[in-house]
Structures are given as structure tokens and as C-alpha cells.
């Protein structure tokens, strides 16, 4: 009996995780990626305990694949340097069974792609449409030829063409009012042992030690959509150069980078939940399904959860369980994932509003409230995120 065929649009973290999970359930998988080659620059990604457990469920050890660097502490600071809240990662590991890790995104996607059979990922192959009028989808690509499939996974990102095609009445994306800069620098001499996010008034700056010894930096500012400074490096210096150590020293490293190594993206989330995460034999996951603000560090983590749950609910790739089992499995996928991912999307938007407060009195009241919250209560507030991954059934 021929194997079932899955075509995945998008070779990001969600698409590659889905490819691995389906491959290990016996499916033949093709991943179509519009980019001409794998990414070599970019940012970092934090893998929270829920994502690490999801990866472990399909036999992926992120630390083994990319190295492991667990910071001593994680927390939020004021621009002058005082900690508003701080938790030891040892306490997090004790509570959640594993500590979060942060890895360079290009290295992580490369490790995921390497876990697939050669030729699975086709770069420079953009999916242009999916024709499912006859029941079995036909995937159209710019590169050709057409690809018949028993399942199509739309992991085609925040601006998902497949989402727009199949949910034309959906309001689409919502600009959350902030732009973000991201980059990676070498700074081994600074001895940074904490993962931190610093809140100012309408601005934030994050520092994350990565598994390869470098540091992932990100910053946000409340500005109109489309605002682009002539030199992002100078803009970061102007906005954050007077903030607490080690931010000025890190900005010295940023100044030495090529301009293209500092990424800037306006921040969007989905304006409203999709009515469902599937249509026939097409399933949406990750940003294509529930684009969310990065304020909880859960965008990639939820994409990983999506991929693992989707593969778990689908029949094996050997053709057992009948031809009609795929649509039923996708309906179960929507039931399993839609409410959880939308709750995280809404929560991420609310947390972002706190960080983006610009009025001095409101910012002072926010800082006082965060500082007055005991660490144990702050950790408890993350239980539904970090302990929330479940395989249905």
C-alpha cells in the first residue's frame, strides 16, 4: 500500500517540526520553502519547557542538536538596572521538569532539516495555491510540477497566502503599535549570566545568552508602522545607550555589525482567531494559524506544539484507518489547538501593552506592581503555558 503524502508550505520551525513528526509516523513528506536557501543570519529563539516537552515527544533533543546554555536567572529590569522580578532557572527546572534554553534560530532550523531524509526540503519553491476541489489536494508551486497530497500543512508564516485564500472574510493582521530590532553579537568577555528584558517608557531591551556562546539582543519601541531609521545601529544607540550595564557594551558590539545583520520588523498579531485551523485536508499551524506578539516568547513554542499534536492525531502514513480519517483528524486538531493558541495570543498582546506603557506615572505604577509580586506567584502564573502541552488522548 503506498504511503500517504504530506506537502508542507514553509520551512520554518513549525513546518520542519511537522515534517519530522509526520516522517516518523511513516508519511512521505515534501517541504516547499519560498526562500532560495536556508537562513544563515537572524535571531535567537527561546524554547520554553512546553516546547522542549513537545520536541521530546517526537524524539528531538534540542540541546543535543544545537548546544545548551541555561542562564542562571531570568527576569525583568528597569532602565536604571533594578530588577523588578527575577527567577532562578534552577527553580524553573524544579517546577517544570526542564529549564528553558535559547538557541540561534538558523542553527536550530538547520538541525531540524538535517533530521529529515535528503531532498525533503525544496528551497526556492513557493507554494502559489492549493486546489482541493476534487477532494485530494493538488499543490501548485512556482517551480512546478504540481504535487498531489493527502495532507497540506500551511506553515507559510504570518502573511500566509493560504490563510488569505481560504479565510477571505477574516480581518487579517493587527499592528500592535511597536517595531522590533533583533540581532546576535559575540560578547564572551562581558560575563552575562542572566536572560533579561528591561522596560522603559514605550521601549524595551532584551538580552538572551545563546547555546553557542553568543547573545541574542532585541529591542522594541512604540512608533508608527513603517518607521525605518537610516541606520538601525545608530537608532539603538540613541534609544538605549544610557540604559544600565551591560546594554551600552552590547551596543558597542552592535555598532561593529554590518547594517544587514540588524533586523527590523514591525510587530503584528492576528486580529481575531481563525474560525478553525483546518479546511478539508489542509491544516494551518504556527504564525499562519495564530500569529502572536513575541512578548511571551511563545510564537515558535506554540508552532512546535501545533506540529506535534497534528502528527499525533493523524493516521500513520501506511494508509491504514481508511481514506476519510485525515479530515476527521484535522477537525480533532482544531478542537485540540484553537482555544489554547488563541488564549496565548490574547495574553501576549496584554503583556505587550504593559511593556509599551509610555506615560511616566503609569510606567511607575506598573513597575511597582511587578516588583511587589512574589517570585513564586509570578512563576505560578506561567504554569498554564509551561505545563500546558498535552498530547490528546
Amino acid at each position: 500500500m503506498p504511503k500517504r503524502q504530506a506537502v508542507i508550505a514553509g520551512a520554518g520551525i513549525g513546518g520542519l517540526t511537522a515534517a519530522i513528526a509526520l516522517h516518523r509516523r511513516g508519511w512521505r513528506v515534501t517541504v516547499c520553502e519560498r526562500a532560495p536557501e536556508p537562513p544563515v543570519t537572524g535571531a535567537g529563539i527561546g524554547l520554553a519547557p512546553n516546547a522542549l516537552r513537545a520536541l521530546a515527544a517526537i524524539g528531538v533533543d534540542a540541546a543535543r542538536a544545537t548546544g545548551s546554555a541555561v542562564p542562571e536567572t531570568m527576569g525583568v529590569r528597569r532602565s536604571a538596572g533594578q530588577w523588578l522580578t527575577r527567577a532562578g532557572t534552577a527553580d524553573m527546572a524544579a517546577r517544570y521538569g526542564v529549564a528553558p534554553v535559547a538557541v540561534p534560530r538558523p542553527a536550530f532550523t538547520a538541525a531540524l532539516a538535517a533530521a529529515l531524509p535528503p531532498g525533503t526540503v525544496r528551497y526556492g519553491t513557493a507554494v502559489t495555491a492549493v486546489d482541493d476541489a476534487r477532494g485530494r489536494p493538488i499543490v501548485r508551486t512556482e517551480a512546478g510540477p504540481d504535487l498531489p497530497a493527502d495532507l497540506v500543512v500551511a506553515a507559510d508564516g504570518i502573511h500566509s497566502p493560504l490563510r488569505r485564500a481560504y479565510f477571505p472574510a477574516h480581518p487579517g493582521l493587527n499592528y500592535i503599535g511597536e517595531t522590533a530590532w533583533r540581532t546576535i553579537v559575540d560578547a564572551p568577555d562581558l560575563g552575562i549570566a542572566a536572560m533579561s528584558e528591561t522596560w522603559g517608557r514605550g521601549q524595551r531591551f532584551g538580552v538572551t545568552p545563546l547555546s553557542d556562546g553568543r547573545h541574542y539582543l532585541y529591542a522594541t519601541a512604540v512608533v508608527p508602522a513603517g518607521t525605518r531609521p537610516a541606520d538601525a545601529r545608530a537608532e539603538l544607540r540613541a534609544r538605549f545607550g544610557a540604559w544600565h550595564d551591560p546594554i551600552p557594551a552590547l551596543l558597542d558590539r552592535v555598532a561593529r555589525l554590518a547594517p544587514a545583520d540588524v533586523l527590523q520588523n514591525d510587530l503584528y498579531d492576528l486580529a481575531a482567531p481563525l474560525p478553525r485551523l483546518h479546511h478539508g485536508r489542509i491544516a494551518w499551524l504556527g504564525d499562519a494559524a495564530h500569529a502572536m506578539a513575541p512578548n511571551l516568547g511563545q510564537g515558535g513554542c506554540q508552532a512546535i506544539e501545533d506540529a506535534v499534536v497534528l502528527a499525533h492525531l493523524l493516521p500513520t502514513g501506511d494508509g491504514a484507518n481508511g481514506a476519510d480519517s485525515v479530515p476527521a483528524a484535522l477537525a480533532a486538531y482544531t478542537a485540540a489547538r484553537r482555544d489554547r493558541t488563541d488564549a496565548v495570543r490574547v495574553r501576549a498582546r496584554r503583556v505587550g501593552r504593559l511593556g509599551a506603557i509610555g506615560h511616566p506615572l503609569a510606567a511607575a505604577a506598573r513597575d511597582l506592581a511587578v516588583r511587589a509580586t512574589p517570585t513564586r506567584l509570578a512563576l505560578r502564573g506561567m504554569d498554564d503555558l509551561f505545563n500546558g502541552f498535552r498530547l490528546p488522548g
Side-chain angles (χ1 to χ4, degrees), residues 124-198:
T125 305
V127 172
T128 57
V130 176
D131 178 1
D132 67 343
R134 291 179 295 276
R136 189 170 191 241
I138 303 295
V139 178
R140 319 285 186 191
T141 70
E142 291 178 347
D146 295 342
L147 300 172
D150 299 289
L151 166 72
V152 177
V153 179
D156 51 346
I158 189 170
H159 299 289
S160 170
L162 293 178
R163 183 183 66 227
R164 293 197 300 268
Y166 279 89
F167 300 99
H170 188 272
L173 298 175
N174 162 71
Y175 178 55
I176 66 173
E178 293 178 276
T179 197
W181 296 271
R182 295 173 295 152
T183 193
I184 295 176
V185 298
D186 286 305
D189 54 308
L190 298 182
I192 300 171
M195 180 187 300
S196 65
E197 182 170 286
T198 301

Side-chain angles (χ1 to χ4, degrees), residues 25 39 50 113 151 195 238 250 335 378 384 387:
R25 284 185 60 77
N50 53 304
L151 166 72
M195 180 187 300
L250 289 167
D384 59 333
N387 283 332

